[in-house]
Amino acid sequence: MARDALSQAFSALADPTRRAILARLSKAEATVGELAAPFDMSMPAISNHLKVLENAGLIVREVDAQRRRCRLTPDGLKEAKSFMTEIAAFWEDSFGELDAFLARGDDLVGSDAKQTESNSEKDQDDGSSNESGGGAGTRSHS
Amino acid sequence: MARDALSQAFSALADPTRRAILARLSKAEATVGELAAPFDMSMPAISNHLKVLENAGLIVREVDAQRRRCRLTPDGLKEAKSFMTEIAAFWEDSFGELDAFLARGDDLVGSDAKQTESNSEKDQDDGSSNESGGGAGTRSHS
DNA sequence: CCTTTATTTAATCAATGTCTTATTTAAGGG
DNA sequence: CCCTTAAATAAGACATTGATTAAATAAAGG
């Protein structure tokens, strides 16, 4: 039942309804009813989405009389984002510092180069092994 | 069949095996057999994971004789990361620029000048929240 | 008390995902 | 040519997810 936190977080994010709920909550906290309103979907369905988001550590729910106030919490996203950052460090050209640099319109590639295939070896730096061996070998038989 | 790119990317990331493959590929490109080796899992299973990653725009496969070289591609992660950044902009204290800033040990709480007020100005009705109505409203009555 | 409002729980069912083994395609070597 | 290696595809078992309707819980209010 309890998957690792990272899987839960990404899995929770892999649904447009849940992402919309998060987007909504990024503006202001809201009750379940308010969150459900814009969707053509039953209340229990929304309730379940919220449970998924809560289990993933993306939101918290606090009881207020007979309504539940939902609010974002940074816990889940933090890990998820840092994983992506580590993976993305390989290119590093695509977003981040250099991205802004490129956006400025500097001529970085323009002269005559057709540098489509220039990078094949970047193999040296492997300080960042994540969960590769251990976390992935989860083989649960039936 | 074709879900939106963001859902595909997050869904692809929501599996430890696939994340381990990405982590491996972030060091160097590899063939399917090399990627499969560390896992106690059949080759077709790995092949399927790779297909998921490819469909999500996270890797590309190029044919080399009878083996396939797999390599990371920034396309998928880019969108995913920017979604998370937008959502996370609500707290903004938890990670990102300010996080590194705080890590430096500067006195931020004492001086009330400049940390909080960058989020309420943005009026973010932008691209991240819009797919909710259309994408989520799939209902079929039975 | 009984009703209204807000939300969760339960039972159910269709659709999807994730493995497996078996078979197939493709490229190279004896 | 046949055989081996590398990988994809096919078909099937099994678990998980995502939605539904119906019923239950909990707080406020007439």
Side-chain angles (χ1 to χ4, degrees):
Chain A
M1 179 181 170
R3 274 192 303 176
D4 60 299
L6 217 40
S7 294
Q8 273 189 281
F10 280 127
S11 189
L13 288 165
D15 183 287
T17 302
R18 288 195 287 262
R19 285 200 305 276
I21 288 173
L22 290 176
R24 175 99 204 275
L25 288 177
S26 75
K27 302 180 210 162
E29 65 177 38
T31 66
V32 176
E34 289 167 348
L35 291 172
F39 300 104
D40 186 12
M41 197 182 291
S42 67
M43 195 86 87
I46 299 292
S47 183
N48 189 56
H49 281 308
L50 292 174
K51 197 192 295 176
V52 171
L53 290 170
E54 189 174 35
N55 289 336
L58 296 173
I59 69 169
V60 289
R61 276 184 285 187
E62 56 193 33
V63 180
D64 169 30
Q66 72 263 55
R67 63 193 66 176
R68 274 74 170 172
R69 289 235 148 67
C70 302
R71 186 161 37 83
L72 288 178
T73 184
D75 302 349
L77 270 195
K78 206 170 178 180
E79 294 174 79
K81 208 182 170 205
S82 75
F83 171 82
M84 286 170 60
T85 301
E86 281 181 43
I87 295 298
F90 179 68
W91 319 289
E92 192 70 9
D93 320 84
S94 307
F95 38 89
E97 316 291 324
L98 209 79
D99 191 31
F101 184 64
L102 285 165
R104 255 182 264 127
D106 292 289
D107 186 13
L108 206 46
V109 64
S111 296
D112 68 353
K114 53 180 288 188
Q115 59 145 26
T116 22
E117 266 296 325
S118 60
N119 80 332
S120 34
E121 307 306 279
K122 242 188 172 185
D123 51 25
Q124 71 284 35
D125 165 43
D126 4 293
S128 63
S129 82
N130 272 6
E131 69 209 51
S132 325
T138 48
R139 168 187 180 69
S140 61
H141 56 344
S142 64
Chain B
M1 183 181 175
R3 272 191 303 175
D4 59 299
L6 217 40
S7 294
Q8 273 189 282
F10 280 128
S11 189
L13 289 165
D15 183 287
T17 302
R18 288 194 288 261
R19 286 199 304 276
I21 288 173
L22 290 176
R24 175 104 205 275
L25 289 176
S26 76
K27 301 179 211 163
E29 66 176 39
T31 65
V32 176
E34 289 168 346
L35 290 173
F39 299 104
D40 185 12
M41 197 182 290
S42 68
M43 194 90 88
I46 298 294
S47 184
N48 188 57
H49 281 308
L50 292 175
K51 197 192 295 176
V52 171
L53 290 170
E54 189 173 35
N55 288 337
L58 297 173
I59 69 168
V60 289
R61 275 185 286 189
E62 54 192 33
V63 179
D64 169 30
Q66 72 263 53
R67 62 194 67 179
R68 272 76 169 171
R69 289 235 147 68
C70 302
R71 186 161 39 83
L72 288 178
T73 183
D75 301 350
L77 268 197
K78 206 169 177 180
E79 295 175 78
K81 207 180 171 210
S82 74
F83 171 82
M84 286 170 60
T85 302
E86 282 181 42
I87 295 298
F90 181 68
W91 318 289
E92 191 70 11
D93 317 84
S94 307
F95 41 87
E97 315 291 323
L98 209 77
D99 192 29
F101 186 62
L102 283 165
R104 258 183 260 127
D106 291 289
D107 180 14
L108 196 51
V109 197
S111 62
D112 57 304
K114 53 154 137 194
Q115 66 266 44
T116 42
E117 251 44 59
S118 52
N119 51 0
S120 42
E121 200 68 289
K122 284 167 68 176
D123 184 48
Q124 56 276 57
D125 196 10
D126 47 48
S128 51
S129 59
N130 53 16
E131 82 258 41
S132 51
T138 34
R139 62 184 288 138
S140 58
H141 87 303
S142 63

